[in-house]
Amino acid sequence: MLPDEPGNAAARLRGGGVEVVVMPLHRLRATTRPSDHLGLLAALRPEVGGLRRLIRRREIDVVQAHGPTNPQAALAGRLEGRGVVWQLYDTRTPMVLRRATMPAVVALADVVMSWGVAVARAHPGTGRLGRRLVPIFPPLDLSQYRDGSERRIRARSGLGARDGDMVIGTVANLNPQKGHEYLLRAVAWLREREPRAVLRVLGASSPSHPRYEETLREEAARLDLKPPVLEIIDPADRVPALLPGLDVFALASVPRSEGMPTAILEAMASSLPVVATDVGSVTELVEHGQTGLVVAPEDPSAMGAALLCLLDDEDERLRMGARARRRAVERYDLDDLAELHLRAYEAAINRRGGRR
């Protein structure tokens, strides 16, 4: 079940054979407008009622809710006596809303799954969950990601890289939380010291932030980052094929944004060293000095210096990339993640059954 709003992934899920039900749902917003909150309160009862009918009609055993500001599914599941699993997947929700909503999460959820331990710690009350807290990681089929000279040649061609270019790349939709403007400034700083550095931004425009791409292009022009130094490419389904063409992967996400970015795991699986900002659970993926470098967010010179460090040392770059690949294979297997979900759902059903 998905809310009726832009970017809700309904088409993508249906394309993968998943049955999808779309219905209007309100959510808490970080706003002081009383009308927004009154709208949620007025709609809460009918929306929960609609979900309860859906649960009964489809004979659903477990309800999974996403994010602390979306309580309707958990309320419906609890009222119907079903297992409730609540997932915390990032840190975008303002702290004032986390403090307001987390008591309900702790009370209603049989199991809370979080994208990494740091994301859980960023939500008040999770320390009281004990075994009800299950840290997880992004779902990724590692078999799609490989390196190798032939794949690298094809990937660099697809990226428009020239002989001698040192290619920095990021995979992230054009959304302010990804901090692309800070990465542009970092690369501008870097090119003053390493003119062979070029940047490839692999990301589609965001329906919820239609002006952001234009803002980025204006910033790139101000920094004199023009093609072929900078290319913004919508990769569609080509991310596994394009990543081997990079020399370093970078992600400049801002504070109060990420959980465990899937893009970092994709880069690690592609044997790339990672330079990323210290937000969310990023440091649980990137081991500083071993599989990449972690820098403060919103600091272009720090990110630029980290990128320069890796571009200047090919041997260390390759060693970090190899370690990253090993870490991805050893710790983030898709079958292991499926098993974590299965155990969480079974625990939720058993815990709920014990109350009947």
Side-chain angles (χ1 to χ4, degrees):
M1 195 287 301
L2 294 174
D4 185 11
E5 59 185 36
N8 66 5
R12 185 152 43 98
L13 289 169
R14 286 174 177 140
V18 177
E19 183 180 358
V20 176
V21 176
V22 176
M23 62 187 298
L25 289 176
H26 291 71
R27 70 176 75 186
L28 282 172
R29 301 288 184 181
T31 174
T32 57
R33 291 192 301 270
S35 59
D36 290 341
H37 304 298
L38 290 173
L40 170 67
L41 291 173
L44 187 61
R45 184 170 182 174
E47 289 176 358
V48 170
L51 287 167
R52 292 184 69 180
R53 289 189 291 274
L54 179 66
I55 290 168
R56 289 195 297 268
R57 188 165 61 248
R58 303 298 175 90
E59 298 182 338
I60 291 168
D61 295 307
V62 180
V63 174
Q64 180 165 307
H66 293 268
T69 60
N70 301 299
Q72 295 94 325
L75 282 167
R78 181 68 175 266
L79 290 169
E80 289 298 313
R82 304 310 204 269
V84 174
V85 175
W86 210 316
Q87 203 171 99
L88 306 174
Y89 50 87
D90 61 30
T91 54
R92 282 181 293 174
T93 304
M95 182 55 77
V96 64
L97 289 184
R98 286 182 236 167
R99 290 196 177 102
T101 57
M102 282 304 297
V105 174
V106 173
L108 293 173
D110 297 296
V111 175
V112 173
M113 305 179 82
S114 70
W115 282 43
V117 175
V119 167
R121 289 174 178 162
H123 289 79
T126 53
R128 302 195 303 272
L129 290 169
R131 292 184 179 180
R132 292 164 58 201
L133 177 64
V134 179
I136 58 172
F137 50 87
L140 191 68
D141 182 358
L142 297 175
S143 67
Q144 296 185 43
Y145 297 83
R146 291 280 188 271
D147 54 9
S149 58
E150 290 187 9
R151 288 174 66 93
R152 179 170 170 80
I153 291 169
R154 290 195 299 270
R156 286 178 70 85
S157 175
L159 293 168
R162 303 158 298 180
D163 289 345
D165 281 348
M166 306 192 79
V167 186
I168 299 155
T170 191
V171 177
N173 285 339
L174 305 185
N175 185 316
Q177 77 181 56
K178 299 300 182 179
H180 290 299
E181 63 270 36
Y182 297 103
L183 181 55
L184 294 181
R185 294 166 196 163
V187 171
W189 181 97
L190 173 63
R191 279 182 55 80
E192 293 177 357
R193 296 152 179 86
E194 175 48 87
R196 294 176 296 170
V198 300
L199 176 62
R200 298 296 180 261
V201 177
L202 306 181
S205 295
S206 171
S208 55
H209 299 280
R211 272 270 304 148
Y212 186 60
E213 181 175 359
E214 183 180 343
T215 300
L216 287 178
R217 293 190 183 279
E218 290 171 356
E219 179 69 357
R222 185 186 72 81
L223 295 168
D224 197 29
L225 297 177
K226 303 172 184 176
V229 172
L230 168 68
E231 299 285 359
I232 299 176
I233 301 167
D234 183 348
D237 60 355
R238 297 183 297 150
V239 169
L242 292 175
L243 280 174
L246 305 182
D247 293 293
V248 179
F249 179 86
L251 192 65
S253 301
V254 301
R256 219 196 80 209
S257 60
E258 297 288 2
M260 257 187 169
T262 303
I264 288 181
L265 188 52
E266 290 179 305
M268 293 170 63
S270 302
S271 301
L272 291 172
V274 174
V275 175
T277 49
D278 187 3
V279 297
S281 295
V282 163
T283 56
E284 293 169 48
L285 286 173
V286 183
E287 186 177 356
H288 182 73
Q290 295 297 312
T291 63
L293 299 173
V294 180
V295 300
E298 300 179 334
D299 188 341
S301 59
M303 174 155 280
L307 291 168
L308 181 61
C309 178
L310 292 179
L311 293 184
D312 274 350
D313 191 339
E314 182 180 10
D315 289 341
E316 182 62 6
R317 211 166 57 234
L318 294 174
R319 281 193 293 269
M320 281 190 176
R323 290 189 205 109
R325 170 72 188 180
R326 284 197 301 272
R327 186 183 180 100
V329 170
E330 291 170 0
R331 300 192 183 187
Y332 304 112
D333 182 77
L334 191 59
D335 289 340
D336 292 342
L337 180 62
E339 182 65 24
L340 283 173
H341 277 78
L342 181 60
R343 290 178 185 174
Y345 297 149
E346 289 175 343
I349 291 170
N350 292 337
R351 190 168 186 269
R352 186 60 53 199
R355 291 190 184 138
R356 290 177 181 171

